[in-house]
C-alpha cells in the first residue's frame, strides 16, 4: 500500500472525526443555548418581581443606614404617642359597651339609665379631651420619622392622610363621630320618657259648675312628688346636653293641652264671639256672668296649679325659665281668649245696660287683681299684662263715659212724644230701676271705685257725693220730662191718666229703695199727692160726667103719663149709651200698668157709674121693656157693664176681648149674654 495513500486515508478519517466531533459539539452548544434561552425566559418575571421589591427592601434596610442617634430616639417617641392613643381606644371600646343599656326603655330603671348615660357623657368628654392629644402625638412621631428618614415615605403619607381625617372629625364638633349617635339616641329616649310621665299624670281637673266660685283659692299640685322628682332627674341630664328648650316645648305642649281639656267642659265657645255677632247687650248678658265665674275658676284653680307645678319642676333651673314656661302655658291654654272677650264687650255699642255689664267685668278683674299680679306679674307674661291693662282701661273709660251720659240722654228724651196710651214711658221705669241698681250694694262700691280711678287718671280729686249727686240730678231730670210730656197730650183726661200713672210709679216703686232714700220722704210724698190730684181730675173730667145722663128729673109718672115718661127714659138711656160708648171706646186703648192702681181706678169707676145705672134701670127699665125697640136703649146688663169697666186699662198682653155693645142676641167671648131685659135687672 502506497504510503501516500495510506497517509491520505488517514487524513480523511481524521477530518471526518473532526467533523463529527464538531457536529456533536455544535449540537451540544445548540441544546445548551436552547436550555439557557428557556432559563432566561423563565427568569424574566422573577427579575421583574425582584425589581418591584427592591424599593421595599431599600426602605427596610433604611433604618440600618439611618443615624444611630435617630434610631435610638425613635423608640421613645413611639411609646409617648402610643400611650394616649391606646387609652383613647380603650375608652372608645367602653363606649360601645354601654350601647345595649342605653338603647333599652328608661321607664324600666330610670335611675340606672341615667347613671349609664352619665358614664357615657364622661367617656365622651374624655374622648373629646384626649383624642386631640393622641392625634398630636401621632403627628409628632410621623414628623420625626419623616425628618430623620427613618421610615418609608409612602407609609408616612398614608399615616398623615389618616390623621388628617381624624383631625377634621374632631374639629367639626360632632359627637356622633365618637359614639355613632348613641348619646343622641339615649337623649331622645329620655325626652320620650319625659313626655310619657307628663301625659300619664296630666288629667283634666274635674268640673263642679254649681260651686265654681266657692272652691279653695290654691289648688294642689296635679303631679305626685315621685313623678316631679323623675322629671327633675331627666331634666338634669337633658339640660347638661343642651336640650332645655326641647324639654320646655314638650312640657308646655302637654300641660297647656291638659288645661284646655279642663276648660272645654265649661263650654267656652262664647269667648270666640265677635262684636258683629250680637245685636245688643241683652243677647249676651248671660255670657258675661258666666265669663266672670269661668275666669275665676281658670285663674284660681287651673293656672294657679300650673304656676305651682312649673315652680316645682323647674325651680332648680331658675326663675326666668319656669316663669317663661308658665307664661307660654297660660297663653296657649286660653287666658288670652278670656281677655279678648272682655275687650269685645267694651267695643259693643253704648247702651245703659252696658254700664252694668262693664261694672261686672271690672268687679271680676278686681276680685282677681292679686292673683293676676302674682301669677302674671313676671317679665315673661308681658303680653298678658298689656292685654289686662288695656282691658281695665277700656272698662273704666267705657263705664265712666256711659255714666256721665245718662243725664244727657234723659234730657234728650224730653223732646220725644209720650206714650199714646198714657202708660209709663219706658225711660221712666228703666231709669228708676237702673239708678236703684247703681246705688245698690252690688254696684255702688264698684262704680265708686271706677269713678275714683277715672278721676285720678284725669288728675281730678274725687268728690265723695259725686255719685249720689249725679243720680239725684238724673231723677230730677225725669221729673222735668214728665211735666213736659203731660203738656204734650191734646186730651186733658189722657194727660191726667199719664200723670197719675207716672207719679204713682215714682212713689210706689221708689219708696223703700236706694233712690227713694236719696230723694227723701218729702219728695215721695209729693208724688203721692200729685197722683191723688190727677186721679181726682181724671174722674171729674171723664167718668163722673156719666151719671148726669141718667137724671130722674121729669120722670114722675103720675103727673106726666107713661108715654111721656117712656120717651124721656129712652132719650136719656140713649144719651147715656152714646156717652158711655164714646168714653169706653176712647179709654179702652189706655193703659194703667200698675195692677193695684188699675184695680183701684176701675173700682172707683164702677162705684161711680154702676149704682146709678142699676137704680135707674130698676126704676125705669119696665117702661122701656114693653117697647118693641127696647134693645136700642137697653144695651147693657149691670153685670156686663161691670165686666166692661173692669176690663179697662189692661196692658195689651192681658186683654182678652172687648165688652162694647153688640147687635141683639150677640154674646161676648166668655159666653155671658150682655143683653138683658129691664125686668131681669136686679
Amino acid at each position: 500500500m502506497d504510503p501516500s495513500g495510506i497517509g491520505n486515508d488517514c487524513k480523511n478519517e481524521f477530518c471526518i472525526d473532526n467533523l463529527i466531533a464538531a457536529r456533536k459539539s455544535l449540537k451540544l452548544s445548540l441544546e445548551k443555548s436552547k436550555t439557557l434561552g428557556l432559563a432566561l425566559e423563565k427568569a424574566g418575571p422573577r427579575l421583574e418581581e425582584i425589581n418591584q421589591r427592591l424599593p421595599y427592601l431599600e426602605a427596610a434596610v433604611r433604618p440600618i443606614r439611618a443615624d444611630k442617634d435617630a434610631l435610638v430616639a425613635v423608640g421613645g417617641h413611639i411609646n409617648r404617642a402610643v400611650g394616649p392613643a391606646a387609652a383613647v381606644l380603650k375608652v372608645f371600646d367602653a363606649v360601645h359597651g354601654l350601647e345595649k343599656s342605653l338603647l333599652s326603655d328608661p321607664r324600666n330603671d330610670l335611675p340606672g339609665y341615667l347613671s349609664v348615660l352619665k358614664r357615657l357623657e364622661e367617656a365622651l368628654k374624655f374622648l373629646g379631651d384626649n383624642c386631640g392629644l393622641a392625634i398630636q402625638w401621632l403627628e409628632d412621631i410621623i414628623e420625626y420619622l419623616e425628618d430623620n428618614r427613618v421610615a418609608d415615605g409612602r407609609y408616612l403619607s398614608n399615616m398623615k392622610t389618616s390623621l388628617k381625617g381624624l383631625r377634621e372629625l374632631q374639629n367639626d364638633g360632632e359627637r356622633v363621630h365618637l359614639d355613632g349617635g348613641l348619646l343622641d339616641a339615649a337623649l331622645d329616649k329620655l325626652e320620650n320618657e319625659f313626655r310619657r310621665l307628663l301625659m300619664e299624670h296630666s288629667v283634666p281637673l274635674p268640673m263642679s259648675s254649681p260651686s265654681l266660685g266657692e272652691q279653695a283659692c290654691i289648688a294642689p299640685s296635679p303631679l305626685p312628688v315621685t313623678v316631679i322628682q323623675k322629671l327633675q332627674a331627666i331634666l338634669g341630664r337633658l339640660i347638661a346636653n343642651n336640650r332645655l328648650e326641647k324639654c320646655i316645648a314638650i312640657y308646655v305642649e302637654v300641660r297647656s293641652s291638659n288645661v284646655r281639656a279642663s276648660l272645654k267642659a265649661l263650654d267656652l265657645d262664647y269667648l270666640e264671639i265677635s262684636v258683629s255677632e250680637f245685636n245688643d247687650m241683652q243677647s249676651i248678658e248671660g255670657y258675661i256672668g258666666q265669663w266672670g265665674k269661668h275666669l275665676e275658676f281658670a285663674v284660681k284653680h287651673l293656672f294657679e296649679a300650673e304656676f305651682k307645678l312649673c315652680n316645682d319642676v323647674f325651680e332648680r333651673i331658675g326663675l326666668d325659665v319656669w316663669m317663661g314656661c308658665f307664661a307660654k302655658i297660660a297663653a296657649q291654654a286660653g287666658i288670652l281668649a278670656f281677655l279678648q272677650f272682655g275687650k269685645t264687650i267694651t267695643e259693643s255699642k253704648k247702651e245703659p245696660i252696658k254700664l252694668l255689664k262693664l261694672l261686672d267685668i271690672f268687679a271680676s278683674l278686681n276680685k282677681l287683681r292679686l292673683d293676676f299680679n302674682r301669677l302674671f306679674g313676671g317679665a315673661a307674661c308681658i303680653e298678658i299684662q298689656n292685654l289686662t291693662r288695656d282691658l281695665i282701661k277700656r272698662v273704666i273709660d267705657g263705664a265712666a263715659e256711659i255714666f256721665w251720659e245718662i243725664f244727657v240722654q234723659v234730657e234728650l228724651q224730653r223732646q220725644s212724644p209720650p206714650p199714646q196710651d198714657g202708660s209709663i214711658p219706658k225711660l221712666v221705669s228703666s231709669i228708676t230701676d237702673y239708678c236703684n241698681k247703681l246705688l245698690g250694694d252690688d254696684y255702688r262700691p264698684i262704680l265708686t271705685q271706677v269713678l275714683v280711678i277715672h278721676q285720678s287718671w284725669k288728675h281730678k280729686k274725687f268728690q265723695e257725693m259725686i255719685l249720689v249727686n249725679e243720680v239725684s240730678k238724673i231723677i230730677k231730670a225725669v221729673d222735668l220730662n214728665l211735666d213736659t210730656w203731660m203738656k204734650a197730650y191734646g186730651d186733658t183726661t189722657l194727660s191726667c191718666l199719664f200723670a197719675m200713672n207716672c207719679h204713682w210709679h215714682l212713689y210706689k216703686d221708689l219708696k223703700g229703695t236706694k233712690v227713694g232714700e236719696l230723694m227723701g220722704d218729702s219728695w215721695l210724698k209729693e208724688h203721692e199727692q200729685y197722683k191723688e190730684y190727677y186721679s181726682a181730675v181724671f174722674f171729674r173730667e171723664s167718668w163722673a160726667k156719666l151719671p148726669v145722663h141718667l137724671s130722674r128729673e121729669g120722670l114722675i109718672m103720675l103727673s106726666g103719663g107713661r108715654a111721656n115718661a117712656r120717651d124721656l127714659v129712652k132719650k136719656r138711656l140713649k144719651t147715656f149709651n152714646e156717652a158711655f160708648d164714646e168714653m169706653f171706646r176712647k179709654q179702652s186703648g189706655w193703659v194703667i200698668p200698675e195692677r193695684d192702681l188699675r184695680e183701684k181706678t176701675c173700682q172707683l169707676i164702677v162705684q161711680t157709674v154702676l149704682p146709678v145705672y142699676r137704680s135707674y134701670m130698676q126704676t125705669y127699665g119696665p117702661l122701656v121693656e114693653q117697647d118693641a125697640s127696647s134693645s136700642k136703649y137697653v144695651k147693657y146688663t149691670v153685670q156686663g157693664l161691670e165686666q166692661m169697666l173692669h176690663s179697662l186699662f189692661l196692658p195689651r198682653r192681658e186683654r182678652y176681648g172687648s165688652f162694647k155693645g153688640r147687635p141683639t142676641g150677640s154674646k161676648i167671648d166668655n159666653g155671658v149674654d150682655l143683653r138683658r131685659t129691664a125686668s131681669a135687672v136686679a
Side-chain angles (χ1 to χ4, degrees), residues 154-406:
R154 283 178 294 182
Y155 170 78
L156 294 177
S157 176
N158 291 336
M159 284 290 292
K160 288 168 70 175
T161 300
S162 298
L163 289 176
K164 181 180 179 182
L166 289 175
R167 177 70 72 183
E168 290 175 351
L169 291 176
Q170 184 199 24
N171 292 337
D172 68 8
E174 292 288 341
R175 290 179 304 190
V176 67
H177 300 301
L178 297 176
D179 65 352
L182 180 60
L183 179 60
D184 286 339
L187 295 175
D188 289 343
K189 284 184 172 293
L190 274 186
E191 287 179 356
N192 292 335
E193 178 65 7
F194 189 81
R195 180 186 294 273
R196 185 193 69 81
L197 286 171
L198 282 173
M199 294 186 67
E200 286 190 1
H201 296 88
S202 294
V203 181
L205 189 64
M207 300 294 105
S208 53
S209 298
S211 57
L212 284 182
E214 303 298 329
Q215 299 183 19
C217 293
I218 303 299
S221 175
L223 294 184
V225 175
T226 55
V227 174
I228 293 176
Q229 291 172 346
K230 289 181 179 180
L231 293 175
Q232 289 175 333
I234 294 174
L235 272 172
R237 298 272 48 86
L238 293 175
I239 292 172
N241 291 277
N242 299 318
R243 292 209 180 190
L244 175 60
E245 292 302 320
K246 186 65 179 296
C247 286
I248 291 177
I250 294 173
Y251 186 89
V252 170
E253 175 191 346
V254 175
R255 295 304 302 177
S256 62
S257 176
N258 187 65
V259 175
R260 287 196 300 271
S262 298
L263 291 174
K264 187 176 181 181
L266 297 178
D267 190 16
L268 300 178
D269 291 343
Y270 67 87
L271 293 180
E272 305 299 326
I273 196 171
S274 63
V275 177
S276 60
E277 291 181 278
F278 60 89
N279 298 323
D280 50 38
M281 194 59 61
Q282 283 87 348
S283 62
I284 61 167
E285 184 178 359
Y287 291 145
I288 297 174
Q290 292 180 13
W291 177 85
K293 294 180 180 179
H294 292 163
L295 177 62
E296 182 178 359
F297 176 80
V299 170
K300 287 186 174 292
H301 299 277
L302 300 180
F303 293 125
E304 177 68 45
E306 294 305 320
F307 183 84
K308 183 178 184 300
L309 184 60
C310 280
N311 179 42
D312 290 344
V313 175
F314 296 97
E315 64 177 338
R316 299 175 184 174
I317 305 172
L319 177 66
D320 292 343
V321 173
W322 72 262
M323 281 295 291
C325 185
F326 169 72
K328 293 177 181 178
I329 292 174
Q332 294 183 21
I335 187 65
L336 301 182
F338 278 101
L339 299 175
Q340 180 58 46
F341 176 81
K343 181 181 177 182
T344 299
I345 300 303
T346 66
E347 293 173 344
S348 62
K349 66 180 181 180
K350 290 189 295 184
E351 49 185 318
I353 192 176
K354 182 179 177 180
L355 171 57
L356 301 180
K357 298 302 106 183
L358 291 178
L359 294 179
D360 287 339
I361 292 176
F362 179 83
S364 297
L365 293 173
N366 191 53
K367 184 178 181 180
L368 298 173
R369 179 170 54 86
L370 296 179
D371 298 284
F372 262 74
N373 290 340
R374 180 169 51 84
L375 298 179
F376 310 116
C381 296
I382 188 65
E383 181 182 10
I384 298 174
Q385 294 169 24
N386 290 338
L387 287 175
T388 304
R389 280 193 290 266
D390 178 65
L391 175 57
I392 292 174
K393 187 177 187 307
R394 286 171 174 269
V395 168
I396 292 176
D397 285 342
E401 182 181 4
I402 295 175
F403 176 72
W404 295 119
E405 284 187 3
I406 296 175

Side-chain angles (χ1 to χ4, degrees), residues 587-604:
Q587 296 193 18
S588 62
W590 299 354
V591 173
I592 300 178
E594 302 282 355
R595 181 176 179 179
D596 54 347
L597 179 61
R598 181 175 64 250
E599 292 179 350
K600 182 179 179 181
T601 301
C602 289
Q603 189 61 35
L604 287 174

Side-chain angles (χ1 to χ4, degrees), residues 125-137:
K125 185 178 186 304
F126 176 85
L127 291 177
D129 293 342
N130 291 277
C131 276
L133 179 62
I135 292 172
Q136 183 63 52
W137 280 106

